[in-house]
Amino acid sequence: MKNMKVINVSLTVKPDLESEYEAFIDKLVQGSRAESGNLSYGHYKKLGSENEYEIIEHW
């Protein structure tokens, strides 16, 4: 049986860098989803926050 890896990442983005971050993360998510062994890769904005995000990966 293979072991699944789950990775959770919390990020806080400086308000003046948010548009740059959005462009960067879009490419990162698409690339990671296409990688061999990736089961899921989600990027979420935390509820009630303007600059906090969460990435949840399953490998």
Side-chain angles (χ1 to χ4, degrees), residues 14-45:
K14 292 180 181 180
D16 57 325
L17 297 176
E18 204 159 348
S19 62
E20 289 178 41
Y21 171 75
E22 292 288 343
F24 163 77
I25 202 68
D26 245 7
K27 292 177 185 174
L28 177 73
V29 169
Q30 289 177 27
S32 293
R33 286 180 177 163
E35 286 186 37
S36 175
N38 181 265
L39 301 173
S40 71
Y41 194 102
H43 176 256
Y44 310 95
K45 191 171 203 174

Side-chain angles (χ1 to χ4, degrees), residues 48-59:
S49 176
E50 291 299 316
N51 63 337
E52 292 181 285
Y53 297 85
E54 188 81 20
I55 296 172
I56 303 173
E57 308 172 44
H58 292 98
W59 296 88

